Amino acid sequence: ESILSHGFVVDGKGRKMSKSIGNVISPDEIIKKYGADILRIWVVASDYSEDLKIDNQIINYQIDSYRKIRNTIRFLLGNLNNFSFNDAVELEQMPDLEKYILNKVSQMNTELKSLVQNHDYHGIFVKLLNFCTLDLSAFYFDVRKDSLYCDGKDSLKRRSVSTCLHILFDFLSKWFSPIISFTSEEAWQSRHQDNSTSILSQTITEKDFIYSYSNLEKTFDELKRVRKSVTAALEIKRNEKLIGSSLQAKAIIYIPLDIQQTLSKLNLAEMCIVSDVEVREISQKTSSSMNFDEEDIFVDISLAEGDKCQRCWTILPEVKDSQ
């Protein structure tokens, strides 16, 4: 009883395609050169309520988006290679970071279903892409990569991370499958190695991806603000040649007492990827303390004391004492 329509396909300047102008782009050429999934991303990334623009620059932008998604999937597959369901951790046993990420998954799942009902496919793609780049690659993967590489396979944290990665893979594979069908199928087969099942036959039921840890949102929102300031301060000291790796650094963070209490249960050194963190009241900041976009966060960076652990590369006093 309703019709969903879209605009015309035009070139990057909004002109209709014409052989005489020479601005015609053939779908076959894009598929042959870049693969069908790139063309599918261009379709879903376009606002179909208006004319759909396409040229080489726009296609290159979609290639960059595809690369970010593929790198996310590759990270998941690489770190799930030896994961066994027997090693899975119950949600309540997981660290707060994993609970927070799964809460984001639950919220996104609800939002994406709503966008499907409204035929907002552009919105679906943007949310999935931002989740891959901002929440996963730039935050969760960045924080947890050291745990994946250094912690014992049987440790609770390592198993919790692997369990979370398994859920993330399942979530992303199913939501991306209508968009980048070939890549999703390739990833699904690589993970399951069972030709009898296809990602295109999978569904998301009403009981899937329901995790309720909204109480952690404030904690990690504050963490991201602090982490952003520490990262900016580290970059300045890296340019000044004080440090190379962030693990060479100690961060002194000056924040109000209420933020200190909010972050009290987190390992800030691990979250900010430095060897040591000292938290002080904001009134103790010095004239040289660095302040960026956040008015209530100041940071000092110095060299961490001790020597480098050859396993985790963290600078620790006990490593120096043991030599």
Side-chain angles (χ1 to χ4, degrees), residues 184-207:
S184 299
E185 181 69 10
E186 178 187 358
W188 188 262
Q189 293 297 334
S190 175
R191 177 79 184 105
H192 293 271
Q193 297 182 350
D194 180 3
N195 292 327
S196 65
T197 180
S198 168
I199 185 59
L200 301 179
S201 65
Q202 305 302 309
T203 59
I204 299 176
T205 70
E206 293 299 319
K207 296 181 180 180

Side-chain angles (χ1 to χ4, degrees), residues 26-181:
S26 168
D28 289 338
E29 292 177 6
I30 296 174
I31 293 173
K32 184 177 180 181
K33 189 173 182 179
Y34 303 113
D37 280 348
I38 299 298
L39 192 64
R40 298 175 71 91
I41 285 180
W42 166 74
V43 172
V44 78
S46 300
D47 182 359
Y48 65 80
S49 64
E50 301 177 354
D51 289 344
L52 284 67
K53 295 182 179 180
I54 187 170
D55 59 18
N56 289 328
Q57 184 177 356
I58 293 172
I59 289 298
N60 286 331
Y61 181 78
Q62 306 309 339
I63 291 171
D64 185 56
S65 297
Y66 173 76
R67 187 179 294 112
K68 293 175 181 177
I69 296 167
R70 190 175 179 89
N71 285 342
T72 300
I73 295 173
R74 184 170 63 179
F75 182 94
L76 292 168
L77 285 173
N79 287 287
L80 286 170
N81 187 43
N82 296 316
F83 175 74
S84 168
F85 294 107
N86 296 327
D87 297 327
V89 174
E90 294 293 330
L91 298 180
E92 289 305 317
Q93 293 181 291
M94 290 185 176
D96 283 350
L97 178 56
E98 277 62 43
K99 292 178 181 177
Y100 167 74
I101 290 296
L102 292 179
N103 186 68
K104 293 282 289 186
V105 166
S106 184
Q107 290 177 337
M108 276 197 60
N109 191 57
T110 301
E111 293 169 358
L112 292 173
K113 286 183 176 181
S114 177
L115 291 173
V116 168
Q117 294 298 318
N118 294 325
H119 303 291
D120 186 357
Y121 307 114
H122 171 76
I124 292 171
F125 179 72
V126 169
K127 279 191 174 294
L128 286 170
L129 178 61
N130 286 340
F131 182 63
C132 287
T133 56
L134 302 178
D135 293 290
L136 297 184
S137 296
F139 178 57
Y140 181 60
F141 293 171
D142 196 36
V143 171
R144 284 303 193 218
K145 64 180 185 295
D146 287 344
S147 176
L148 287 165
Y149 299 155
C150 300
D151 290 352
K153 289 177 60 177
D154 297 330
S155 69
L156 179 62
K157 185 200 289 186
R158 171 71 183 274
R159 292 190 297 115
S160 296
V161 176
S162 297
T163 304
C164 185
L165 294 182
H166 167 72
I167 295 171
L168 286 168
F169 177 80
D170 197 40
F171 173 76
L172 291 176
S173 295
K174 289 179 178 179
W175 273 109
F176 270 125
S177 61
I179 301 172
I180 46 173
S181 307

Side-chain angles (χ1 to χ4, degrees), residues 149-292:
Y149 299 155
C150 300
D151 290 352
K153 289 177 60 177
D154 297 330
S155 69
L156 179 62
K157 185 200 289 186
R158 171 71 183 274
R159 292 190 297 115
S160 296
V161 176
S162 297
T163 304
C164 185
L165 294 182
H166 167 72
I167 295 171
L168 286 168
F169 177 80
D170 197 40
F171 173 76
L172 291 176
S173 295
K174 289 179 178 179
W175 273 109
F176 270 125
S177 61
I179 301 172
I180 46 173
S181 307
F182 297 97
T183 301
S184 299
E185 181 69 10
E186 178 187 358
W188 188 262
Q189 293 297 334
S190 175
R191 177 79 184 105
H192 293 271
Q193 297 182 350
D194 180 3
N195 292 327
S196 65
T197 180
S198 168
I199 185 59
L200 301 179
S201 65
Q202 305 302 309
T203 59
I204 299 176
T205 70
E206 293 299 319
K207 296 181 180 180
D208 290 335
F209 307 121
I210 298 177
Y211 315 103
S212 182
Y213 298 105
S214 57
N215 59 306
L216 294 172
E217 290 178 14
K218 181 181 178 181
T219 299
F220 283 93
D221 285 346
E222 291 291 0
L223 169 67
K224 287 179 179 179
R225 292 203 308 127
V226 170
R227 191 174 185 269
K228 181 180 178 182
S229 294
V230 172
T231 300
L234 288 170
E235 189 61 30
I236 288 176
K237 294 304 178 181
R238 188 178 287 112
N239 292 334
E240 294 176 357
K241 308 299 182 183
L242 175 68
I243 61 170
S245 165
S246 64
L247 287 175
Q248 293 177 299
K250 171 183 177 179
I252 303 175
I253 304 171
Y254 306 91
I255 49 179
L257 288 174
D258 60 329
I259 300 181
Q260 292 184 37
Q261 293 171 355
T262 300
L263 301 178
S264 61
K265 293 183 179 180
L266 297 181
N267 183 338
L268 291 180
E270 179 185 36
M271 297 297 165
C272 296
I273 317 180
V274 293
S275 286
D276 190 17
V277 163
E278 182 178 342
V279 179
R280 298 179 183 175
E281 218 287 317
I282 192 169
S283 62
Q284 298 177 349
K285 68 181 186 297
T286 66
S287 58
S288 61
S289 299
M290 290 173 280
N291 172 255
F292 301 94

